[in-house]
Amino acid sequence: MKRIAVIPGDGIGNEVMEAAMLILEKLDLPFTFEYYDAGDGALERYGKALPEETLEACRRSDAVLFGAAGETAADVIVRLRQELNTFANIRPAKAIKGIRCLYPGLDIVVVRENTECLYRGFEFEFDGVAEAVRVITRRASERIAKYAFELAKRERRKKVTALHKANVMKKTCGLFREVCRDVASEYPDIEFNDYYIDAACMYLVMDPFRFDVIVTTNMFGDIVSDLAAGLVGGLGLAPSANVGEKNAIFEPVHGAAFDIAGRGIANPTAMILTACMMLRHFGYLDEARKIEEAVERVIESGKTTPDLGGNLKTMEFANEVALLLD
Ligand code: NAI
Ligand code: MG
């Protein structure tokens, strides 16, 4: 029996989680789902965005399924990733068949370092001066670079590209680039190159097919994964997995989307595909494939939520997917 800690969180996190759970519950797999509180709502209710009970439950769980946090995201999901040492954040940007998007056929993966960089939260303010400390270590850089190359090998991908800004941040990005180049030399069958992050953003918009696997530091990874999602239809479709040696957290790339929350119109696809990443993690490859195909078929038939030009509600879309699983 796998213990899954489910944290719907804030805003559309609740709406897309309900949709994903409808699908997961249909499968009758040996999972127990236990619900926990975290986020802006938890802060209001208990005075803590990530209550101790939730953190402990996440540590004990075989996986965490997370919706989204709001303004407390740094104290909830960024902290959870660090506490559980899920050092690799895998964010595929794959154009689903039938989607009208900027780049049909695109299939790239962003591998984001998840434990350090400016997101360590070492920030200080005194007398009108605010400072942040950026932490980049050889150990974490090596670990994430190896993860990216192993992923490329496993998924038969041809190329790994490291993104950095080593011309300006000579020490931190310099170290990251050096380590990526060293690791690349251990994988002669996989092509490797690196770009400065600013130029890479232009290439991503104008010619994304030059990328296959992207490996980068925490904050750049956060930014380019939203950019990559935009190339293939938007945040409503972008899943992600945070994996470490012991724990794993599965969450969509998007946040609480307060601009559309409470109306039942969020696209649950990102959350459903996130659940599929969890199923794959536990070896349920056929089940994951079946759900992904069902999602593709519903979208191909033109039944979509408003972000993709359709008029289905969140749960209507989920029900369409569920019908194909019977
Ligand atoms: P966001 O990712 O929530 O939304 C960005 C844009 O994408 C919005 O226009 C939203 O409507 C749209 N969008 C996102 N997911 C969608 C979906 N499933 N279906 C249809 N449209 C979707 O980022 P934003 O607006 O910058 O932040 C909102 C709140 O979420 C903030 O409080 C922020 O701190 C938090 N946040 C939390 C994250 C997390 O928990 N992992 C990640 C990003 C933001
Ligand atoms: Mg983000």
Side-chain angles (χ1 to χ4, degrees):
M1 202 55 113
K2 300 282 180 213
R3 285 176 84 163
I4 316 297
V6 181
I7 306 178
D10 300 315
I12 65 162
N14 295 284
E15 300 163 39
V16 297
M17 187 65 83
E18 188 186 344
M21 290 307 293
L22 176 89
I23 309 289
L24 280 175
E25 303 268 15
K26 269 205 100 108
L27 295 182
D28 202 24
L29 291 171
F31 291 161
T32 55
F33 298 105
E34 295 162 6
Y35 283 75
Y36 293 94
D37 210 350
D40 299 3
L43 180 65
E44 260 174 49
R45 282 186 286 277
Y46 318 109
K48 273 195 166 170
L50 184 61
E52 238 8 79
E53 189 201 350
T54 302
L55 179 57
E56 280 316 307
C58 291
R59 279 195 217 283
R60 279 197 314 269
S61 70
D62 293 295
V64 179
L65 197 57
F66 185 85
E71 287 307 296
T72 53
D75 300 323
V76 178
I77 186 64
V78 177
R79 176 152 176 241
L80 256 185
R81 294 175 190 141
Q82 290 174 6
E83 291 279 351
L84 271 55
N85 202 14
T86 54
F87 64 87
N89 189 337
I90 301 119
R91 304 185 141 189
K94 185 175 178 197
I96 296 177
K97 259 190 284 165
I99 289 268
R100 262 176 299 151
C101 65
L102 289 172
Y103 292 102
L106 188 68
D107 177 9
I108 61 180
V109 186
V110 178
V111 176
R112 161 186 177 190
E113 203 291 323
N114 225 4
T115 61
E116 48 185 33
C117 188
L118 283 165
Y119 287 14
R120 271 308 289 273
F122 294 148
E123 290 202 90
F124 314 93
E125 191 185 351
F126 182 69
D127 208 15
V129 181
E131 297 174 329
V133 176
R134 183 163 194 246
V135 181
I136 300 291
T137 64
R138 180 176 295 278
R139 193 174 149 271
S141 302
E142 207 171 87
R143 192 168 61 171
I144 199 68
K146 281 194 172 140
Y147 192 96
F149 277 96
E150 286 298 322
L151 181 143
K153 213 160 100 178
R154 194 167 62 237
E155 296 191 358
R156 297 199 174 79
R157 292 178 180 271
K158 300 202 160 30
K159 184 175 174 186
V160 173
T161 302
L163 306 185
H164 56 78
K165 188 72 179 171
N167 53 342
V168 177
M169 291 187 280
K170 295 192 170 63
K171 296 284 184 212
T172 51
C173 276
L175 177 60
F176 183 76
R177 177 175 64 182
E178 178 197 318
V179 171
C180 287
R181 286 178 177 173
D182 286 350
V183 170
S185 67
E186 295 167 26
Y187 295 85
D189 297 340
I190 297 168
E191 195 188 331
F192 172 77
N193 71 341
D194 63 272
Y195 292 127
Y196 295 126
I197 182 71
D198 43 355
C201 287
M202 179 200 63
Y203 295 140
L204 270 167
V205 171
M206 298 192 73
D207 180 23
F209 291 97
R210 69 170 71 200
F211 296 92
D212 194 346
V213 177
I214 288 173
V215 62
T216 189
T217 45
N218 203 343
M219 189 171 78
F220 293 155
D222 188 8
I223 297 167
V224 297
S225 52
D226 274 35
L227 200 167
L231 304 175
V232 294
L235 285 171
L237 303 167
S240 94
N242 304 275
V243 297
E245 263 145 37
K246 185 169 166 288
N247 290 96
I249 307 166
F250 298 87
E251 49 153 349
V253 173
H254 66 73
F258 292 123
D259 56 341
I260 58 165
R263 290 158 58 197
I265 57 164
N267 188 346
T269 303
M271 190 74 232
I272 294 170
L273 297 181
T274 294
C276 292
M277 289 184 88
M278 182 178 82
L279 293 177
R280 283 220 159 80
H281 174 78
F282 289 126
Y284 295 108
L285 309 185
D286 291 344
E287 286 80 357
R289 190 64 228 140
K290 214 171 138 193
I291 297 171
E292 286 162 357
E293 276 168 12
V295 167
E296 274 171 23
R297 276 174 59 197
V298 173
I299 291 175
E300 258 187 308
S301 73
K303 294 177 184 158
T304 57
T305 42
D307 56 310
L308 298 178
N311 55 15
L312 285 197
K313 294 248 175 186
T314 309
M315 290 311 288
E316 288 171 348
F317 182 89
N319 277 314
E320 291 289 338
V321 175
L323 276 178
L324 295 180
L325 299 175
D326 283 331

